Structure formats: structure tokens, C-alpha cells
């Protein structure tokens, strides 16, 4: 599934600039990218649901899900339907990162950054499929909004993976502290809107760490 990795994005996660690399870092990065492509087990699942806006939040009838918070309500204000999405880079990458963190800490850190980029690309693949299907209806999609962004509770991940049946279908579960297992996994909601997609808005507008974000200080986003 995963043929390419964005080197610039990986360097951004690591805090490097392309022109600041030495030969050792360059070789380490290439090695970790090759390893990520080799063992990545990219999978994703998504389903479409209608939504209803209530005083309690944005509800998905029949699922028990109520997405609370002003940010997600604003994000989905023009939507009548949403897609719930889960994507993962797989358990083998997690195992390799843990092993290298012990045996080769430098390589472990770089491999971890490669894993972050890998799961983002896998989620992007799913999003492109969703966008294509929605555009065939003459509609548009919002950008991905994940539990934990803005004032949307992280605990909603539990409901997302329950409704999507992610453990049985793509091997993704959740820890007691609501962290994804494998760790290089993401959940998100994508709205289906009749209006044009607003590319000016992004998740930075709703992030609780906006004022202290190291990515924004470097002129980029996470």
C-alpha cells in the first residue's frame, strides 16, 4: 500500500531542515524510510452516517455517539452526513520502533517519525477515496477532525473504534488511557457538505496547543 514517504514531512517531525542534514543523518533517514516501507501494514476503514444537531452535540443516530464541543459543531455546521475513519500503519512497525528505541535509540526516533508520516499518508488515501465518492454526488468534504482536537474529547475514540469494529477488521484497539494500539493509528470524522470545501481552515484553528506549538513557530503545521 505504501510506496512513497514524504522526506520533508519526516524531517519536519524531527525538527530538521533539508539543508541542515549531514551524511550520517541522511543515511539514517533513508534506512528508516526503507524499513518503514518494507514492514508497514497499512489498512483503513470508513463508514458513512447521517448526523443530527442537538443541544447536547452532534449525534450519529443509532450508534450512541454524540460529538460534543463547540469546535466540532462549527466544523460540521454545513453537513448532514459524516464519515468515521480509522487508519493504521500496523503492529509490526510498532514492534520495530520499540526494539530500535532500546538497541539503536537514534534510529528508533527516526523510525517513529517515519511511522507518523506513514499513517498520515494512509489516512490521506482513505480521504481521497471518500472525496471522490462525495464529489460524484456534487458535494464536498471537510478536512479530517480527530478526537482530541480543540474541545472535542479524546474519549470519543472509544466510540469510533466500537462503531467501526476496528479491532476485528483492521486490528486497531484502544488502551485504558484512550491511546491507539498500534500507536501509529488515527481516527477521524470527515463531514459531507453541500458547500465548497474551505481550504483556508485547518485543525490549527481548533488546537489547544496552538500558542505553544513548535511546528507553528517554524512556520509549518503538524
Amino acid at each position: 500500500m505504501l510506496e512513497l514517504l514524504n522526506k520533508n514531512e519526516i524531517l519536519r517531525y524531527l525538527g530538521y531542515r533539508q539543508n541542515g542534514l549531514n551524511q550520517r543523518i541522511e543515511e539514517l533517514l533513508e534506512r528508516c524510510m526503507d524499513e518503514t516501507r518494507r514492514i508497514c501494514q497499512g489498512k483503513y476503514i470508513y463508514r458513512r452516517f447521517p448526523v443530527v444537531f442537538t443541544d447536547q452535540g452532534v449525534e450519529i443516530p443509532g450508534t450512541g455517539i454524540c460529538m460534543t464541543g463547540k469546535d466540532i459543531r462549527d466544523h460540521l455546521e454545513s453537513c448532514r452526513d459524516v464519515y468515521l475513519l480509522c487508519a493504521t500503519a500496523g503492529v509490526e512497525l510498532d514492534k520495530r520502533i520499540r526494539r530500535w528505541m532500546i538497541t539503536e535509540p537514534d534510529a528508533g526516533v527516526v523510525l517513529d517519525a517515519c511511522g507518523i508520516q506513514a499513517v498520515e499518508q494512509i489516512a490521506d488515501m482513505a480521504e481521497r477515496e471518500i472525496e471522490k465518492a462525495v464529489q460524484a454526488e456534487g458535494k464536498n468534504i471537510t478536512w479530517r477532525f480527530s478526537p482530541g482536537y480543540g474541545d472535542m474529547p479524546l474519549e470519543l475514540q472509544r466510540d469510533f473504534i466500537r462503531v467501526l469494529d476496528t479491532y476485528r477488521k483492521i486490528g486497531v484497539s484502544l488502551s485504558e488511557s484512550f491511546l491507539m494500539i498500534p500507536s501509529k493509528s488515527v481516527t477521524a470524522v470527515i463531514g459531507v457538505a453541500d458547500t465548497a470545501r474551505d481550504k483556508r481552515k485547518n485543525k490549527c484553528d481548533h488546537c489547544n496547543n496552538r500558542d505553544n506549538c513548535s511546528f507553528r513557530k517554524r512556520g509549518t503545521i503538524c
Side-chain angles (χ1 to χ4, degrees), residues 153-170:
L154 181 63
E155 290 82 354
L156 278 168
Q157 294 209 117
R158 174 179 53 203
D159 295 320
F160 282 23
I161 68 168
R162 170 180 57 81
V163 169
L164 291 174
D165 195 14
T166 61
Y167 181 72
R168 187 171 66 87
K169 294 188 175 175
I170 60 172

Side-chain angles (χ1 to χ4, degrees), residues 76-220:
L76 299 175
E77 62 182 351
S78 61
C79 302
R80 299 178 183 177
D81 295 275
V82 298
Y83 282 86
L84 297 186
L85 161 70
C86 182
T88 183
V91 68
E92 289 304 317
L93 187 56
D94 260 22
K95 292 178 180 178
R96 194 62 47 87
I97 290 169
R98 288 197 297 269
R99 184 189 310 166
W100 283 12
M101 284 292 190
I102 296 171
T103 61
E104 301 179 75
D106 288 351
V109 169
V110 176
L111 190 65
D112 186 75
C114 290
I116 295 171
Q117 222 291 296
V119 73
E120 284 298 312
Q121 286 194 214
I122 295 163
D124 286 345
M125 293 178 196
E127 183 175 329
R128 285 193 293 271
E129 285 186 11
I130 292 170
E131 185 170 31
K132 184 177 180 180
V134 166
Q135 286 180 339
E137 304 173 18
K139 299 181 180 181
N140 293 282
I141 63 171
T142 67
W143 49 268
R144 298 194 299 270
F145 200 109
S146 293
Y149 286 170
D151 59 1
M152 184 176 176
L154 181 63
E155 290 82 354
L156 278 168
Q157 294 209 117
R158 174 179 53 203
D159 295 320
F160 282 23
I161 68 168
R162 170 180 57 81
V163 169
L164 291 174
D165 195 14
T166 61
Y167 181 72
R168 187 171 66 87
K169 294 188 175 175
I170 60 172
V172 175
S173 59
L174 204 64
S175 73
E176 292 184 359
S177 54
F178 306 108
L179 298 179
M180 309 293 283
I181 304 170
S183 65
K184 298 302 176 280
S185 305
V186 296
T187 59
V189 57
I190 297 174
V192 179
D194 294 327
T195 56
R197 188 174 187 182
D198 188 349
K199 295 184 181 297
R200 295 172 300 170
K201 296 180 180 180
N202 59 62
K203 60 188 177 183
C204 296
D205 297 332
H206 306 285
C207 181
N208 291 327
N209 196 44
R210 176 186 174 90
D211 294 334
N212 301 311
C213 178
S214 60
F215 290 124
R216 285 177 55 80
K217 290 176 181 177
R218 296 197 296 269
T220 61

